Amino acid sequence: MNRPFLHLTTLTAGLLSVTPALAQQTGSQNYPNRPLRMIAPSSAGGPVDVIARAICVSLADRLGQQIVVDNRAGAAGLIGAEIVAKAAPDGYTLLMGFSGPLAIVPHLTKQAPYDTTRDFTPVTLTASAPYVLLVHPALPVKSVRELIDLAKAQPGKLLFASGGTGVGIHMAGELFNVAAGVKITHVPYKGAGPGMTALLAGEVNMMFNGLSAALPQVKAGRLRALAVGGDKRSALLPELPTVAESGLQFNTSGWYGVLGPAGLPRALVDKLRAETLRAMATPETKERLTALAVETIGSTPEAFADLLKQEYAQWGRVVKAAGIKQQ
């Protein structure tokens, strides 16, 4: 899947400036004059939280105001995202968004509390992190093709773990089922950590997870990695093929980006985007995120909006093809 990601090196030259007249008109000239809140719709310590905190440290310095990272886990991210959707569009309540609450979970619930394309203002993409396809070493497969062959020989008998219904790593597994034409049964856990524990114990056979969480287990030989998502191989596991190189044409990277409520003035959007991109370009932020196998990226608000529409449509098709019922 083609994603409209633009790397920071291509963005910095084109950052928009806020004219004094427009700044005064929208109130951005004195923005911000009090602390900001960045909602991370996940538990502390997860990738959304870690990325939000890494970026907000540098962003707070650039804006001259404290940014409080507010973890609001629950309902696969719907609770945290809803807070931002219903906040005042003044630039003081922001969202570190990702695919779960914005593109996946709304398809899984009959009464989503917001409309993804209507109730948010995209600011910029910030990061991308590939998922890696993991299996327990006892499973007699050493490639994606061998896993597919085994799954076809034992339909429904193999199990894959996730951190809960509707999260990105769950849907990566469902996308694998659809793309490969197999049926590996989903077993949801209360978080990616418990899911990994189950895989390590051999309770399940397979799991997609973030590369940073998987890397220590793979290097120790406790888990076997078969493929990495994304458009290219990871520098942390250069010998590992991508999912595409393994014969399946889909992308399993997680993306993260900053959004505000609908109606956020363009001058504030431009200021937040410019300062966020500069914050991500600092060596300290890049070092923090690179250590977690997270790549800093950036985009225009329009490119981010296009990505949201593409992702929303794609995951709607996957949910339908996988036969996942709304709750």
Side-chain angles (χ1 to χ4, degrees), residues 170-255:
H170 165 217
M171 299 310 294
E174 298 290 2
L175 189 55
F176 180 88
N177 275 335
V178 172
V182 299
K183 177 56 180 175
I184 301 177
T185 302
H186 175 227
V187 181
Y189 289 84
K190 293 182 178 180
M196 280 285 280
T197 299
L199 181 60
L200 288 163
E203 296 175 13
V204 295
N205 310 107
M206 178 191 115
M207 182 179 184
F208 280 92
N209 203 2
L211 181 56
S212 59
L215 198 58
Q217 308 299 343
V218 171
K219 289 192 171 182
R222 291 187 285 267
L223 293 176
R224 180 180 298 138
L226 300 185
V228 66
D231 301 323
K232 60 185 178 181
R233 295 192 180 196
S234 169
L236 299 178
L237 286 174
E239 74 286 354
L240 190 66
T242 65
V243 170
E245 287 176 320
S246 302
L248 298 179
Q249 298 303 313
F250 69 91
N251 189 303
T252 57
S253 287
W255 53 262

Side-chain angles (χ1 to χ4, degrees), residues 112-133:
Y114 50 78
D115 182 298
T116 296
T117 58
R118 184 188 65 203
D119 294 335
F120 298 96
T121 300
V123 175
T124 183
L125 288 160
T126 57
S128 175
Y131 297 145
V132 61
L133 173 55

Side-chain angles (χ1 to χ4, degrees), residues 15 30 42 51 69 114 117 136 168 187 195-196 202 210 215 219 233 238 243 262 266-267 282 290-291 294 309 318:
L15 294 177
N30 298 319
S42 69
I51 291 170
V69 176
Y114 50 78
T117 58
H136 190 275
V187 181
M196 280 285 280
L215 198 58
K219 289 192 171 182
R233 295 192 180 196
V243 170
R266 182 67 194 215
T282 63
T290 299
V294 174
K309 292 176 183 176
V318 173

Side-chain angles (χ1 to χ4, degrees), residues 41-315:
S42 69
S43 57
V48 180
D49 173 66
V50 171
I51 291 170
R53 292 181 188 278
I55 292 172
C56 284
V57 168
S58 296
L59 181 58
D61 289 340
R62 297 206 58 84
L63 293 175
Q65 288 289 343
Q66 180 186 12
I67 302 178
V68 177
V69 176
D70 187 354
N71 295 97
R72 295 298 183 102
L78 286 181
I79 292 174
E82 182 182 9
I83 291 172
V84 178
K86 295 182 177 179
D90 56 10
Y92 289 94
T93 302
L94 303 171
L95 174 70
M96 182 57 70
F98 61 106
S99 61
L102 295 176
I104 298 173
V105 183
H107 295 292
L108 303 177
T109 178
K110 294 179 180 178
Q111 295 183 328
Y114 50 78
D115 182 298
T116 296
T117 58
R118 184 188 65 203
D119 294 335
F120 298 96
T121 300
V123 175
T124 183
L125 288 160
T126 57
S128 175
Y131 297 145
V132 61
L133 173 55
L134 305 164
V135 297
H136 190 275
L139 199 69
V141 299
K142 293 186 177 180
S143 69
V144 171
R145 175 46 54 188
E146 290 180 358
L147 175 61
I148 293 172
D149 290 342
L150 182 63
K152 287 184 175 180
Q154 302 178 28
K157 291 187 178 180
L158 298 184
L159 308 175
F160 81 90
S162 82
T165 300
V167 302
I169 56 178
H170 165 217
M171 299 310 294
E174 298 290 2
L175 189 55
F176 180 88
N177 275 335
V178 172
V182 299
K183 177 56 180 175
I184 301 177
T185 302
H186 175 227
V187 181
Y189 289 84
K190 293 182 178 180
M196 280 285 280
T197 299
L199 181 60
L200 288 163
E203 296 175 13
V204 295
N205 310 107
M206 178 191 115
M207 182 179 184
F208 280 92
N209 203 2
L211 181 56
S212 59
L215 198 58
Q217 308 299 343
V218 171
K219 289 192 171 182
R222 291 187 285 267
L223 293 176
R224 180 180 298 138
L226 300 185
V228 66
D231 301 323
K232 60 185 178 181
R233 295 192 180 196
S234 169
L236 299 178
L237 286 174
E239 74 286 354
L240 190 66
T242 65
V243 170
E245 287 176 320
S246 302
L248 298 179
Q249 298 303 313
F250 69 91
N251 189 303
T252 57
S253 287
W255 53 262
Y256 309 87
V258 176
L259 305 95
L264 190 64
R266 182 67 194 215
L268 297 189
V269 172
D270 290 341
K271 182 168 185 174
L272 283 167
R273 171 178 171 261
E275 298 303 346
T276 299
L277 295 177
R278 292 187 179 112
M280 291 191 300
T282 63
E284 297 81 8
T285 302
K286 284 197 165 211
E287 184 177 347
R288 287 191 194 101
L289 295 179
T290 299
L292 298 170
V294 174
E295 180 184 9
T296 54
I297 56 176
S299 73
T300 63
E302 292 77 15
F304 191 5
D306 287 343
L307 174 66
L308 284 174
K309 292 176 183 176
Q310 293 172 18
E311 288 274 296
Y312 190 88
Q314 172 185 279
W315 290 118

